[in-house]
């Protein structure tokens, strides 16, 4: 978006305005407050003793030398937690094994007791007056370990019997019949590399206990309080999840890694109670690489069946997925019922089948990461379609066009059970291919070849089900006419304050200076899952609309009193001057601000309750379906294997767009993360020792700005029919589309040299080795 298009508007805002983020002033001037800025009076500081071993038995543990160290206030172990009645964190798995049996409850110790199961697992917490004193004392905790054989490969883990879940979904019988009659079957083996979310702000936590009320308070960067409260309550620290107050300050990125609770949160809360003072912990980057939840990590075998005309008959997949050392709810859903919703893509596929085995390994547990299964299964189907076109001699776009669900076929129910309410999948692709001059690509390929370079053109089309979680909104006018909204949605960089002000301002005609927000405090915001699953504009936005409608109905009563007219004759309208209540057919009107002030007046008749506000808890019963087509071009140096990303263009349908500027930024971020996974990022472990090899930014490669081109951009706005704003989710879409887009371009560049199979990340070494093998 051009700078000239950006709006710096004050006053009343509108949906569709490219308003510059209202949050940025505080962020850029240092006025925002993150967990590391939190300065609680009398706070002590914690550090964690972590396992240096991949897998080991704990033979003995002596904390006395650490307790005697300068400034140390306490050292707590699993035995101390057990004595206090605190057990492991518990995970209930809704998915069932394919034989119908239930999956045993997942148990993760807050502090390891007799065994450590991954490098970085916490064994003890040391609390001291200062951070330095706590970290110095870590080395004084004497632990005797006996190393055990490490298993970091999920296939080896399954061979050893470490099975967490054996799941299947879809119609196996229908798929088998479709494949039996297919004219052509395309098969691919794909590896989805393990990656780190690597948000700019590491995790942290500060715990307090109030003996007068018996309540704990946790300050932590989170994506919402509900999951945190439930996870911590599962340990027995509190009996009722609502007995734990969760306060979320400003959050420096999350991408899924801060949805659920971590053991460190329970440990600092326990220490705070025992020591009678607040206890704070803040991770450094080395700790984050070891102890933050990892992401992705699947081996996928996919098959696509086609008839003689090229129509898709069925798709099926077999997965081996790595959950890490302990179960998480996300790791059980991502490669099963959650991610497989995208296996049919945007295509009119009659049936599907997925069989997934999830293994325990000696690695950090897997959690949700931007897209959480949607990028993986979109990657599978889009890689399959490209391969099928190559094998059958068909044009990649024509094959997709032949099989896409068309607008006139909607509402369309997929075999997974999703119902597409809207979308123009073919138009997205056609526009993207035109914008990127696909017709002229072969001349660009020839020019690259003349320079000794291999050029590739890749694209992927996608849809994803978004916006299915609940949200709570409370909206109350004060006596001055200012509106305060309490939101269960918790921002972690998206620009909620700006987006939601635009929605409120358009609904009620208020200048944005009169709109305030409260979020991040579970005592004030009510129940709600928080910011997950690309649901905030769709779900929280809908709850805001519902609140606005309630306020308007109550406001008509107050306005009728002020205008001396029946409430039934009073209408509400939003104009250039703002929101007003008007007596129908007259010029008699009163502004919403005047009505709000009057609602607090003692002059109201007794039949009108004082105050003006509303509350809504909204839980949608269906998804929104953003969709689009992403295109990129790459060049590869065959002598070094180096991949250069030359161009990237995204054409998307996000329904009605509230803020084009923020929306484009969301897609840019997701695309950058997808490009990183496709070309360079990987949490790699030594195959023999199991030790993490990429435990710092010296080894774990994140993309730099110089690695990314300026992104091309276009939108097709097809309003969603399942929410009053017509909006669709956006946050995860960039990741969902970009993995397949980039790798399809890489394969297109390499295919003339005989390389048609390559896994992410497409590093220069991996590409060079593939080319060398093809030459042999």
């Amino acid at each position: 978006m051009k700078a000239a298009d950006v709006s710096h508007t004050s006053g009343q805002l509108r949906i569709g305005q490219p308003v510059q983020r209202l949050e940025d002033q505080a962020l850029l001037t240092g006025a925002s407050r993150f967990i590391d800025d939190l300065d609680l009076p009398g706070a002590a500081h914690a550090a964690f003793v972590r396992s240096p071993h991949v897998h080991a038995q704990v033979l003995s543990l002596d904390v006395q030398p650490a307790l005697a160290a300068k400034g140390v206030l306490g050292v707590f172990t699993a035995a101390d937690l057990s004595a206090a009645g605190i057990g492991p964190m518990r995970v209930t798995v809704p998915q069932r094994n394919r034989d119908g049996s239930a999956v045993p409850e997942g148990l993760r110790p807050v502090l390891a007791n007799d065994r450590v199961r991954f490098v970085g697992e916490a064994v003890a917490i040391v609390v001291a007056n200062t951070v330095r004193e706590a970290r110095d004392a870590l080395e004084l905790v004497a632990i005797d370990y006996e190393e055990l054989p490490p298993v970091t490969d999920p296939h080896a883990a399954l061979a050893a019997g470490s099975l967490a879940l054996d799941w299947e979904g879809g119609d196996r019988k229908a798929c088998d019949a479709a494949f039996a009659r297919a004219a052509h079957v395309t098969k691919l083996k794909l590896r989805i590399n393990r990656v780190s979310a690597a948000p700019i702000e590491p995790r942290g936590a500060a715990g307090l206990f109030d003996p007068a009320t018996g309540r704990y308070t946790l300050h932590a960067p989170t994506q919402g309080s509900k999951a945190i409260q439930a996870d911590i309550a599962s340990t027995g620290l509190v009996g009722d999840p609502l007995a734990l107050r969760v306060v979320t300050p400003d959050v420096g990125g999350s991408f899924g890694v801060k949805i659920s609770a971590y053991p460190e949160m329970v440990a600092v809360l326990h220490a705070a109670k025992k020591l009678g003072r607040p206890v704070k912990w803040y991770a450094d980057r080395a700790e984050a690489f070891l102890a933050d939840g990892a992401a992705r990590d699947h081996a996928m075998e996919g098959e696509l069946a086609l008839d003689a005309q090229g129509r898709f008959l069925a798709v099926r997949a077999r997965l081996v997925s790595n959950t890490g050392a302990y179960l998480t709810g996300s790791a059980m859903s991502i490669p099963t019922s959650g991610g497989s919703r995208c296996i049919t893509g945007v295509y009119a596929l009659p049936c599907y089948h997925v069989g997934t085995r999830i293994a325990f390994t000696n690695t950090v547990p897997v959690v949700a990461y931007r897209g959480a299964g949607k990028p993986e299964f979109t990657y599978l189907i889009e890689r399959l379609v490209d391969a099928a076109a190559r094998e059958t001699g068909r044009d990649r776009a024509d094959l997709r066009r032949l099989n896409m669900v068309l607008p006139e076929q909607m509402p369309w129910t997929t075999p997974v059970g999703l119902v597409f309410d809207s979308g123009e999948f073919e138009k997205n692709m056609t526009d993207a291919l035109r914008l990127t001059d696909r017709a002229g690509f072969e001349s660009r390929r020839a020019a690259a070849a003349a320079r000794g370079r291999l050029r590739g053109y890749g694209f992927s089309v996608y849809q994803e089900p978004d916006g299915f979680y609940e949200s709570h909104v409370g909206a109350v006018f004060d006596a001055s006419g200012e509106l305060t909204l309490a939101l269960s949605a918790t921002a972690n960089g998206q620009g909620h304050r700006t987006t939601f002000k635009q929605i409120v301002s358009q609904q009620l005609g208020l200048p944005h200076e009169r709109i305030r927000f409260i979020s991040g405090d579970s005592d004030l915001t009510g129940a709600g899952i928080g910011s997950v699953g690309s649901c905030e504009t769709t779900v929280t936005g809908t709850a805001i609309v519902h609140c606005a409608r309630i306020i308007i109905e109550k406001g008509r009563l107050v306005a009728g009193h002020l205008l001396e007219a029946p409430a039934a004759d009073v209408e509400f309208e939003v104009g250039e001057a703002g929101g007003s209540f008007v007596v129908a057919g007259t010029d008699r009107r009163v502004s919403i601000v005047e009505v709000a002030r009057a609602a607090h007046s003692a002059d109201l008749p007794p039949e009108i309750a004082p105050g003006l506000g509303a509350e809504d808890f909204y839980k949608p019963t269906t998804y929104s379906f953003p969709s689009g087509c992403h295109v990129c071009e790459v060049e590869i140096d065959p002598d070094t294997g180096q991949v250069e990303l030359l161009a990237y263009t995204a054409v998307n349908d996000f329904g009605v767009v509230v803020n084009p500027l923020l929306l484009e930024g969301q897609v840019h971020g997701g695309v950058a993360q997808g490009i990183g996974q496709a070309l360079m990022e990987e949490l790699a472990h030594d195959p023999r020792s199991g030790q993490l090899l990429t435990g710092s930014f010296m080894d774990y490669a994140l993309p730099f700005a110089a690695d990314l081109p300026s992104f091309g951009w276009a939108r097709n706005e097809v309003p969603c029919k399942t929410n009053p704003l017509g909006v669709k989710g956006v946050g995860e879409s960039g990741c969902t589309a970009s993995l397949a887009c980039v790798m399809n371009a890489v394969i297109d560049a390499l295919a003339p040299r005989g390389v048609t199979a390559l896994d992410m990340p497409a590093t220069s070494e991996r590409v060079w080795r593939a080319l060398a093998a093809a030459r042999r």
Side-chain angles (χ1 to χ4, degrees):
M1 181 167 290
K2 297 177 182 178
D5 297 329
V6 177
S7 174
H8 305 275
T9 306
S10 61
Q12 193 174 332
L13 303 179
R14 287 281 189 266
I15 288 174
Q17 276 183 282
V19 179
Q20 198 169 39
R21 291 183 3 149
L22 303 173
E23 295 88 341
D24 288 350
Q25 179 69 20
L27 290 168
L28 294 173
T29 59
S32 294
R33 287 294 175 262
F34 298 87
I35 186 65
D36 197 35
D37 298 314
L38 184 65
D39 187 13
L40 297 171
H45 297 270
F48 285 88
V49 180
R50 298 187 182 276
S51 168
H53 301 293
V54 178
H55 190 201
Q57 198 78 22
V58 179
L59 301 179
S60 65
L61 193 162
D62 183 4
V63 302
Q64 292 306 314
L67 279 170
K70 177 187 175 183
V72 172
L73 304 171
V75 181
F76 304 99
T77 67
D80 298 307
L81 297 180
S82 179
I86 300 171
M89 302 178 75
R90 299 174 180 272
V91 175
T92 300
V93 179
Q95 291 81 13
R96 303 182 79 84
N97 289 304
R98 69 177 70 207
D99 64 4
S101 61
V103 177
E105 184 179 47
L107 303 175
R108 179 178 182 177
V110 174
L111 298 172
N113 185 13
D114 59 341
R115 181 175 293 197
V116 290
R117 291 176 169 83
F118 65 92
V119 172
E121 184 168 12
V123 181
I125 176 175
V126 176
V127 185
N129 287 314
T130 68
V131 175
R132 181 179 291 276
E133 288 169 340
R135 291 182 176 177
D136 286 347
L138 291 181
E139 297 182 9
L140 300 177
V141 177
I143 306 176
D144 187 17
Y145 294 100
E146 179 185 345
E147 289 194 65
L148 299 172
V151 180
T152 56
D153 177 75
H155 291 90
L158 289 175
S162 293
L163 177 68
L165 174 66
D166 183 11
W167 177 91
E168 71 173 344
D171 191 332
R172 178 196 287 269
K173 186 177 293 186
C175 275
D176 288 347
F179 275 88
R181 68 176 185 273
H184 181 82
V185 174
T186 290
K187 300 180 181 181
L188 281 180
K189 289 186 177 181
L190 303 172
R191 183 80 180 85
I192 309 292
N193 41 323
R194 174 176 275 236
V195 295
S196 171
I200 193 169
E201 178 200 33
R203 290 185 298 114
L208 299 87
F209 179 75
D210 183 352
T213 62
R215 285 197 80 194
Y216 291 94
T217 297
L218 174 72
H219 294 262
T222 78
Q223 291 182 231
S225 62
K226 187 174 181 180
I228 304 294
Q229 291 169 315
D231 290 345
I232 292 176
S234 75
T235 68
L237 180 79
V238 294
D240 179 359
L242 298 180
L244 170 66
R245 180 187 179 197
V246 177
V247 179
T248 299
D250 289 318
V251 180
S254 178
F255 315 117
V257 76
K258 297 172 184 173
I259 292 174
S260 301
Y262 283 81
E264 293 92 347
M265 294 174 172
V266 181
V268 298
L269 289 167
H270 171 73
K273 180 179 181 180
K274 285 295 183 181
L275 298 174
R277 58 193 287 188
V279 175
K280 178 182 173 182
W281 163 76
Y282 184 63
D284 60 25
R285 186 60 65 179
E287 266 187 302
F289 270 109
L290 291 175
D292 283 4
R296 315 297 194 220
D297 203 350
H298 321 284
M300 310 178 87
E301 295 183 21
E303 296 179 275
L304 181 64
L306 297 81
D307 68 15
Q309 287 72 47
R311 292 199 177 274
F312 301 159
L313 302 176
V315 62
R316 62 188 178 192
R318 293 182 297 278
L319 278 74
V320 171
S321 184
N322 183 2
T323 185
Y326 301 105
L327 289 184
T328 67
S330 299
M332 296 296 102
S333 170
I334 288 166
T336 60
S337 54
S340 64
R341 294 172 299 173
C342 289
I343 193 171
T344 58
V346 299
Y347 307 112
L349 268 155
C351 60
Y352 83 101
H353 180 261
V354 177
T356 300
R357 291 181 298 158
I358 302 178
F360 289 111
T361 66
N362 297 122
T363 59
V364 70
V366 164
V367 297
Y369 171 53
R370 204 166 193 165
K374 303 169 193 175
E376 294 97 306
F377 280 90
T378 299
Y379 180 71
L380 175 70
I381 185 63
E382 287 301 289
R383 285 288 305 270
L384 279 169
V385 174
D386 251 35
R390 188 177 300 110
E391 292 169 3
T392 61
R394 290 181 166 89
D395 179 79
R396 291 179 285 170
D398 290 344
L399 183 59
R400 286 175 167 86
R401 196 171 281 115
L402 178 68
N403 287 282
M404 283 178 172
V405 176
L406 302 176
E408 55 267 28
Q409 295 174 292
M410 295 184 189
W412 175 270
T413 302
T414 75
V416 184
L418 303 179
V419 180
F420 296 159
D421 66 290
S422 59
E424 296 179 358
F425 307 143
E426 183 181 4
K427 185 177 188 303
N428 293 337
M429 184 180 70
T430 299
D431 288 354
L433 302 185
R434 175 181 50 79
L435 283 171
T436 56
D437 186 26
R438 187 186 184 215
F441 172 71
E442 287 306 324
S443 63
R444 298 194 294 277
R445 191 201 292 269
R451 293 182 279 106
R453 309 271 287 186
L454 308 177
R455 190 158 181 141
Y457 182 99
F459 59 97
S460 66
V461 293
Y462 78 94
Q463 60 77 23
E464 60 173 33
D466 286 343
F468 204 63
Y469 295 99
E470 76 270 11
S471 187
H472 176 269
V473 173
V476 178
F477 276 99
D478 64 19
S480 73
E482 289 198 349
L483 179 67
T484 298
L485 290 94
L487 310 174
S488 61
T490 303
N492 38 84
Q494 301 95 326
H496 287 173
R497 178 183 169 198
T498 307
T499 303
F500 294 152
K501 279 195 173 189
Q502 288 180 257
I503 296 172
V504 174
S505 190
Q506 175 143 323
Q507 293 292 314
L508 295 177
L510 283 174
H512 77 80
E513 294 88 351
R514 284 191 171 274
I515 304 167
R516 297 180 297 179
F517 294 107
I518 296 172
S519 65
D521 187 333
S522 62
D523 277 6
L524 302 177
T525 60
I529 199 66
S531 299
V532 297
S534 302
C535 72
E536 289 319 306
T537 306
T538 53
V539 180
T540 302
T542 296
I544 289 172
V545 171
H546 291 170
C547 284
R549 290 172 177 174
I550 295 169
I551 286 171
I552 290 168
E553 283 305 303
K554 169 71 180 295
R556 290 171 66 235
L557 298 176
V558 179
H561 167 68
L562 294 176
L563 297 169
E564 298 180 342
D569 293 343
V570 177
E571 299 173 346
F572 183 75
E573 62 181 38
V574 175
E576 291 299 320
S580 299
F581 292 90
V582 183
V583 178
T586 76
D587 59 358
R588 296 162 56 204
R589 67 179 57 237
V590 61
S591 75
I592 190 170
V593 172
E594 293 173 296
V595 166
R597 289 170 177 164
H600 290 81
S601 167
D603 297 333
L604 285 178
E607 64 269 20
I608 302 178
L612 185 60
E615 184 176 12
D616 188 67
F617 178 82
Y618 177 63
K619 186 171 184 178
T621 57
T622 188
Y623 297 100
S624 71
F625 293 95
S627 62
C629 178
H630 290 203
V631 182
C632 75
E633 288 191 35
V634 301
E635 275 193 6
I636 298 174
D637 183 340
D639 295 327
T640 65
Q642 182 65 39
V643 179
E644 182 183 2
L645 183 65
L646 300 175
Y648 196 105
T649 296
V651 175
N652 299 286
D653 165 21
F654 297 119
V656 173
V657 175
V658 176
N659 187 315
L661 180 66
L662 270 63
L663 178 135
E664 190 170 340
Q666 281 286 300
V667 177
H668 286 187
V671 166
Q673 287 178 303
I675 291 169
Q677 178 166 5
L679 296 181
M680 59 191 73
E681 294 184 43
E682 185 169 29
L683 284 174
H685 295 84
D686 184 276
R688 298 186 64 182
S689 71
Q691 289 284 344
L692 180 65
L693 299 176
T694 51
S696 76
F697 287 134
M698 292 294 290
D699 307 296
Y700 186 91
L702 284 180
F704 292 164
D707 296 317
L708 306 175
S710 293
F711 297 135
W713 180 258
R715 298 197 314 267
N716 287 321
E717 289 196 17
V718 182
C720 178
K721 298 178 181 178
T722 61
N723 66 70
L725 290 169
V727 296
K728 302 175 183 179
V730 59
E732 297 164 303
S733 299
C735 261
T736 296
S738 53
L739 299 184
C741 177
V742 173
M743 289 305 293
N744 280 343
V746 171
I747 295 296
D748 186 58
L750 296 175
R753 295 286 185 97
V755 178
T756 57
L758 188 74
D759 280 327
M760 301 183 291
T763 60
S764 55
E765 178 187 1
R766 184 166 287 174
V767 172
W768 183 89
R769 289 184 181 279
L771 286 168
R775 285 194 299 269
R776 290 194 297 269

